Amino acid sequence: MNKVALPRGLRTVNRVVKALLGTGIRIGDIHVLTVVGRRSGQPRSTPVTPYEVDGERYLLGGYPGADWVHNARAAGEGTLAHGRRRKRVRLVEVPVADRGPMLRAFPEKVPNGVGMMVKAGAVTEGSPEEFAANADRFTVFRVVGA
């Protein structure tokens, strides 16, 4: 799987967002996911936007090869924080064959995320069909306990 490099500007935005969210400030639906690093054993955090499809919550790993995806896969659990509220969650990877509905829903549910993914080159137009067609490139986790 080819790794899509997160553009420098987006890395900076992620750091700023994590810092703001860490103070308890809420920024829309953005949460901070913290999981144990698969190599370091240390907590690793990244901004994510959970979204709901058919009553279940999901996280999209839209950048192939992203460290947080590898860490979440290895840990299988983490902490999801929104403002000052923190909740332990299990992260269950959705099989590639079952990702279509979650991927088709992403552009409608998280339009700001689509813009970032287009800017990073992960998708070209960001349509529901394009997301579903890339089910083998994008990781989807079902969030249990959120």
Side-chain angles (χ1 to χ4, degrees):
M1 178 182 305
N2 293 337
K3 187 171 184 174
V4 173
L6 199 59
R8 177 169 296 183
L10 290 179
R11 284 192 302 251
T12 302
V13 167
N14 275 353
R15 280 194 289 272
V16 170
V17 167
K18 280 191 320 189
L20 289 171
L21 293 171
T23 67
I25 295 173
R26 288 185 179 207
I27 303 173
D29 291 330
I30 301 173
H31 291 58
V32 173
L33 175 67
T34 302
V35 297
V36 174
R38 66 194 183 284
R39 294 185 185 149
S40 69
Q42 299 299 309
R44 302 291 181 210
S45 299
T46 192
V48 295
T49 304
Y51 63 102
E52 193 171 306
V53 178
D54 295 331
E56 300 280 351
R57 291 183 80 191
Y58 296 94
L59 296 176
L60 173 63
Y63 301 101
D67 283 335
W68 82 262
V69 170
H70 293 298
N71 291 336
R73 185 179 288 137
E77 64 181 11
T79 302
L80 202 54
H82 191 228
R84 297 196 186 280
R85 180 176 172 250
R86 287 169 173 52
K87 185 146 190 178
R88 294 288 300 164
V89 295
R90 281 189 316 118
L91 302 167
V92 179
E93 188 170 350
V94 176
V96 173
D98 299 335
R99 293 177 185 167
M102 296 98 206
L103 291 169
R104 277 187 198 87
F106 185 78
E108 176 188 339
K109 304 280 185 172
V110 191
N112 290 336
V114 174
M116 288 178 31
M117 291 175 68
V118 168
K119 192 173 191 174
V123 293
T124 55
E125 62 186 52
S127 70
E129 294 75 25
E130 182 180 19
F131 275 92
N134 284 292
D136 60 334
R137 291 184 61 230
F138 300 140
T139 304
V140 177
F141 291 100
R142 184 168 49 91
V143 180
V144 179

